[in-house]
Amino acid sequence: MELVVPVLLIAFALISVITLAKSVRIVPQQRQDVVERLGRYKRTLNPGLNILVPFVDAVRTKVDMREQVVSFPPQPVITSDNLVVSIDTVLYFKVVDSVRATYEISNFLQAIEQLTVTTLRNVIGSLDLERALTSREEINRHLSGVLDETTGRWGIKVTRVEIKAIEPPPSIRDSMEKQMRAERDRRAAILNAEGHKQSQILSAEGEKQAAVLRADGDRQARILQAEGQAKAVRTVFDAIHQANPSQKVLAYQYLQALPQIANGTANKVWIVPAELTKALEGMGGALGGLSQMVGDAPTRQASEDASAVEREAAEAAQAAAKAAQEIHNEVRVAEAQATGGKEPQGLPAPEPVSPGSLLNDPADQRERG
């Protein structure tokens, strides 16, 4: 009897603990518990402390209200051009009504997966491979719209659907890689050609501008040179007219130029003719008759200057006559070598010219006599 009382107390305490545990329910944040009373839906437990009727109320399901992510395995899909591609999808959803998610469908995850596969096959089946690879945004929007409309009555909100990968067959991948490589080679060739074209254009433009600048510089240089020569000639011309030189001075200058004219092998051809003596005699006559010209009467100072000029003229005439005689001798030697030592049957040899004949003209002597 003494043992029965402690056993009953222990049993009563145990039953009290179990009853208290079943009557008190703590629900964490972002979770809802669906409660049934005697097999029928009673209420939904929100986050926090909740009291249940022990042995009468029972929690049917614990629904996570957070947004969830589920990745479906790759699904083979046939495109409109009869190519089998493998597509991986990722689904984002959240439960907005825990009661409907519990009682409207037995397994909403499996239902969403099957719905995604069928919808994806319908969408991809109407597209070819090229468009399927480049229309992911369009496919995602279509899938999201269909899934959201269908899962709405299940108390589920599909927030986003993403196509993770589209894998074509290996042979198609090889062909695509070759096509891409050929396209890149074509673009590279086009870019190289464009660069070469631009380089040629720029080089041509540079050469054109350089040629224009060189031509302009040459033109300016020639213009300046011509202007300089014209200015020099004009200065000499003005100086001659302002100095008003006499005929004697001009004749003296001509006699000074004769040795320079006779110098050099290129000038020996035209200074050799027999008329040279007559030209020199005429020049001497001109020098002798210059004193008789009207308006050229020398003064005392002019007479002294004229004497000095005549002396210099005589020396210049002597040098010119000597140069002419040397040239004549060279020509005779050359003719003798050309004819084999025989006298050429041409014009008679001119008489040697003496320096005195250049200054003492016979006509002048007659006038003086």
Side-chain angles (χ1 to χ4, degrees):
M1 188 68 181
E2 294 179 356
L3 295 175
V4 174
V5 174
V7 172
L8 291 176
L9 291 176
I10 293 173
F12 180 76
L14 184 59
I15 293 172
S16 299
V17 171
I18 294 174
T19 302
L20 182 62
K22 285 186 173 292
S23 62
V24 176
R25 175 71 64 174
I26 298 176
V27 179
Q29 185 67 31
Q30 290 295 325
R31 199 184 80 180
Q32 289 182 353
D33 293 350
V34 177
V35 178
E36 293 179 348
R37 179 171 291 180
L38 300 178
R40 185 177 181 181
Y41 170 73
K42 178 61 179 177
R43 65 193 177 99
T44 302
L45 301 182
N46 294 319
L49 180 62
N50 297 273
I51 303 300
L52 300 177
V53 177
F55 304 107
V56 177
D57 294 340
V59 176
R60 168 71 182 272
T61 56
K62 299 176 181 180
V63 181
D64 191 353
M65 304 301 293
R66 294 175 298 178
E67 186 173 2
Q68 302 179 42
V69 181
V70 57
S71 177
F72 301 134
Q75 299 294 327
V77 180
I78 301 177
T79 61
S80 62
D81 49 355
N82 297 324
L83 292 176
V84 179
V85 295
S86 179
I87 300 179
D88 295 345
T89 55
V90 179
L91 182 66
Y92 298 82
F93 71 95
K94 65 184 298 185
V95 178
V96 295
D97 191 343
S98 58
V99 177
R100 286 191 294 175
T102 302
Y103 295 103
E104 293 293 334
I105 190 168
S106 61
N107 189 345
F108 61 84
L109 283 179
Q110 185 180 2
I112 291 174
E113 179 182 359
Q114 296 301 322
L115 182 61
T116 302
V117 171
T118 55
T119 305
L120 189 62
R121 288 179 178 176
N122 291 333
V123 174
I124 299 298
S126 61
L127 303 175
D128 56 4
L129 179 61
E130 188 72 21
R131 188 177 176 186
L133 293 174
T134 58
S135 303
R136 294 194 177 189
E137 292 295 332
E138 181 181 352
I139 297 172
N140 293 336
R141 287 195 302 268
H142 189 77
L143 282 174
S144 179
V146 172
L147 292 175
D148 188 37
E149 181 182 358
T150 305
T151 58
R153 64 177 182 268
W154 301 339
I156 298 173
K157 173 67 176 177
V158 177
T159 57
R160 188 177 183 86
V161 179
E162 291 289 342
I163 295 179
K164 186 166 61 175
I166 300 177
E167 296 293 337
S171 60
I172 301 300
R173 286 200 301 268
D174 294 340
S175 300
M176 293 173 62
E177 290 177 359
K178 292 180 180 179
Q179 181 180 1
M180 185 177 297
R181 191 179 301 110
E183 181 67 19
R184 290 180 178 177
D185 292 341
R186 183 182 67 86
R187 292 179 181 178
I190 291 175
L191 291 177
N192 290 333
E194 289 290 337
H196 184 67
K197 175 183 176 182
Q198 293 295 330
S199 175
Q200 294 293 331
I201 291 174
L202 292 177
S203 299
E205 289 291 337
E207 293 177 358
K208 174 184 175 182
Q209 293 180 4
V212 170
L213 293 177
R214 284 195 295 269
D216 186 68
D218 190 15
R219 181 178 65 85
Q220 293 292 337
R222 292 188 179 185
I223 290 174
L224 293 176
Q225 185 178 5
E227 290 178 354
Q229 292 178 356
K231 186 175 180 180
V233 171
R234 186 165 53 251
T235 302
V236 173
F237 182 78
D238 293 340
I240 291 175
H241 280 274
Q242 290 176 4
N244 193 16
S246 64
Q247 296 295 331
K248 293 179 180 180
V249 175
L250 295 177
Y252 171 65
Q253 292 293 332
Y254 183 77
L255 288 174
Q256 282 185 332
L258 281 178
Q260 297 178 0
I261 295 175
N263 190 17
T265 57
N267 297 331
K268 294 178 181 180
V269 176
W270 56 273
I271 202 172
V272 170
E275 287 80 2
L276 174 63
T277 56
K278 295 181 179 180
L280 294 176
E281 291 177 358
M283 188 181 301
L287 290 174
L290 286 176
S291 61
Q292 304 299 327
M293 296 179 63
V294 179
D296 198 14
T299 61
R300 181 179 180 182
Q301 182 68 28
S303 299
E304 294 178 357
D305 295 340
S307 299
V309 169
E310 289 179 357
R311 287 194 300 271
E312 294 180 359
E315 294 175 358
Q318 184 177 3
K322 183 177 180 181
Q325 186 63 37
E326 292 177 356
I327 295 171
H328 177 71
N329 294 334
E330 292 178 0
V331 172
R332 298 295 295 176
V333 171
E335 290 179 353
Q337 292 177 356
T339 56
K342 297 180 180 180
E343 186 70 22
Q345 301 298 325
L347 296 176
E351 297 179 358
V353 181
S354 62
S357 64
L358 296 176
L359 299 177
N360 299 325
D361 185 77
D364 191 12
Q365 293 177 2
R366 286 193 301 269
E367 291 179 0
R368 292 179 182 179

